[in-house]
Amino acid sequence: DSPYIVLYISLPHVIFDGTAIAAFLNNWAECTRNLNNPDHKLKYPPVNDCKVVKDYFDTVTAIEPPHTKHFKDLGAKSLVKVPSSVIAALLLAAPDIPAFEEQHLLHFTAEKLEQLRQDVDKAQTTNLALAAVLTKTILQANIQMFNSMPTWSYVMFPYDCHHHTEVPMTYSGNLSFSAIAPLESQTVLDGSYKEIAQAIKEHCSKVSSEYAKSLIYTVKNEIGILFQAGISLCNLPDMSYVGLTNLCYMSLYSIDFGYGGPKILSNGYFIHEGMQRIYSNKQDGSIDLFMNVKDDLFEYLKKSDKLLKYADIIF
């Protein structure tokens, strides 16, 4: 007797990014609303030819981002050497990674979120202010759980080329790359939230098409660096990690299969521990933060006065 219809989507990130998924769902919904109109044409038809990506990046000069050098240096003695000719086949043959099922939800009202930004640094975006608070509180929880100081605290933001390049917004593939801030944990622990936000901005706001092209080369030719980053971006005794994706700007609430737009957006399981995803909450104009962190780590996070000052714990 539930009045709701639930639509659960599982799509491979290697093919889609968030912008492309939102476009796909909107197109699917538009087709569904027009099933009785055989002549209907999509308002924003997808561009499926990856040549548009190649043509754009052919005009760009690759520049290696700082975090690539960081992971090269970190794994200098242990980087996996794989011939570039077999990398594609290796990636295609790799087994699926099991979903990380330890998930938690925090709720931030619009008022508390703005208070957080004002308290951290009113000159920064809400995204950066929230990232600064999460970076420090998760590091503190990490230290309590493992009883040791991690060497590095990593912060990751996605860089979506759909929104920052001349590639058509309607391109249907994955055009997201990682902007990663490798911060020394002691600096994070000793610094103010304002200083942490500024440090994250220094690393993550300078991502560009030139960096993105360099990362394409890295995937094609130096898969060992990608592997080193993969094993570093998590919460362990020697490292702390916050990956923050903001889905508020994506056209998710416009998805209408003929029943009206969605009332609630939720997050399925992700494959990577440490990832956090922000969704708009249409019911009260707030945001929901889905946190993929270990249950044991979350027990320490629940005791953080700084986090509880701004967020309500849902589960």
Side-chain angles (χ1 to χ4, degrees):
D1 296 329
S2 172
Y4 292 103
I5 295 173
V6 176
L7 177 65
Y8 189 92
I9 305 295
S10 179
L11 296 167
H13 204 331
V14 71
I15 297 174
F16 292 94
D17 58 15
T19 299
I21 289 172
F24 168 73
L25 291 172
N26 273 284
N27 285 337
W28 179 12
E30 184 182 338
C31 289
T32 302
R33 296 195 307 271
N34 290 277
L35 286 175
N36 295 325
N37 180 5
D39 298 322
H40 177 75
K41 304 291 185 183
L42 287 171
K43 186 176 181 180
Y44 301 108
V47 175
N48 298 317
D49 188 353
C50 61
K51 185 175 182 297
V52 297
V53 179
K54 181 181 182 303
D55 289 347
Y56 172 74
F57 279 107
D58 280 347
T59 68
V60 173
T61 301
I63 298 176
E64 185 175 89
H67 71 257
T68 299
K69 183 180 185 307
H70 169 82
F71 290 119
K72 275 184 181 178
D73 294 343
L74 196 65
K77 296 180 180 179
S78 58
L79 281 179
V80 179
K81 302 294 184 182
V82 179
S84 59
S85 59
V86 303
I87 286 177
L90 181 68
L91 291 174
L92 288 171
D96 291 339
I97 301 173
F100 184 86
E101 298 187 6
E102 296 173 66
Q103 188 176 93
H104 303 276
L105 175 61
L106 300 184
H107 180 80
F108 294 79
T109 65
E111 294 76 18
K112 287 292 183 70
L113 202 58
E114 177 58 20
Q115 181 188 345
L116 182 153
R117 188 180 73 86
Q118 294 286 335
D119 289 349
V120 171
D121 184 357
K122 62 183 179 182
Q124 301 291 5
T125 64
T126 302
N127 242 26
L128 276 168
L130 178 58
V133 170
L134 290 172
T135 299
K136 191 163 190 170
T137 54
I138 287 179
L139 171 60
Q140 291 168 333
N142 197 312
I143 293 169
Q144 289 177 290
M145 185 170 81
F146 293 112
N147 197 29
S148 65
M149 167 69 83
T151 305
W152 295 100
S153 292
Y154 295 105
V155 185
M156 188 280 290
F157 283 148
Y159 175 76
D160 188 347
C161 287
H162 284 97
H163 294 269
H164 300 286
T165 69
E166 295 173 14
V167 176
M169 276 288 291
T170 51
Y171 175 66
S172 60
N174 183 359
L175 271 179
S176 290
F177 300 89
S178 296
I180 301 171
L183 308 176
E184 292 185 9
S185 292
Q186 191 64 58
T187 302
V188 172
L189 202 60
D190 294 341
S192 67
Y193 290 102
K194 181 176 181 178
E195 290 168 336
I196 298 167
Q198 184 60 40
I200 296 170
K201 182 179 180 181
E202 282 294 311
H203 284 276
C204 294
S205 66
K206 294 181 179 178
V207 178
S208 63
S209 298
E210 291 79 12
Y211 284 176
K213 184 169 183 176
S214 175
L215 293 172
I216 293 172
Y217 286 156
T218 298
V219 172
K220 285 184 175 181
N221 301 296
E222 298 182 276
I223 198 69
I225 298 173
L226 195 66
F227 176 77
Q228 181 64 53
I231 63 175
S232 300
L233 301 181
C234 54
N235 287 288
L236 292 171
D238 197 43
M239 59 201 70
S240 178
Y241 173 56
V242 174
L244 193 62
T245 301
N246 189 343
L247 282 78
C248 293
Y249 69 90
M250 296 179 186
S251 54
L252 296 171
Y253 276 112
S254 62
I255 299 167
D256 179 5
F257 284 85
Y259 311 103
K263 300 297 182 185
I264 299 172
L265 293 172
S266 185
N267 193 51
Y269 294 130
F270 203 64
I271 63 170
H272 209 302
E273 189 270 340
M275 284 298 300
Q276 335 287 334
R277 291 189 167 188
I278 303 171
Y279 285 87
S280 298
N281 187 311
K282 193 176 181 181
Q283 294 175 315
D284 61 1
S286 59
I287 67 164
D288 294 323
L289 178 69
F290 287 86
M291 306 183 72
N292 280 56
V293 296
K294 296 173 183 174
D295 294 340
D296 292 345
L297 183 64
F298 193 72
E299 287 301 310
Y300 290 101
L301 281 173
K302 289 193 320 188
K303 301 170 186 175
S304 168
D305 292 338
K306 187 68 175 180
L307 203 55
L308 294 177
K309 180 180 178 181
Y310 306 109
D312 296 314
I313 296 173
I314 307 304
F315 60 79

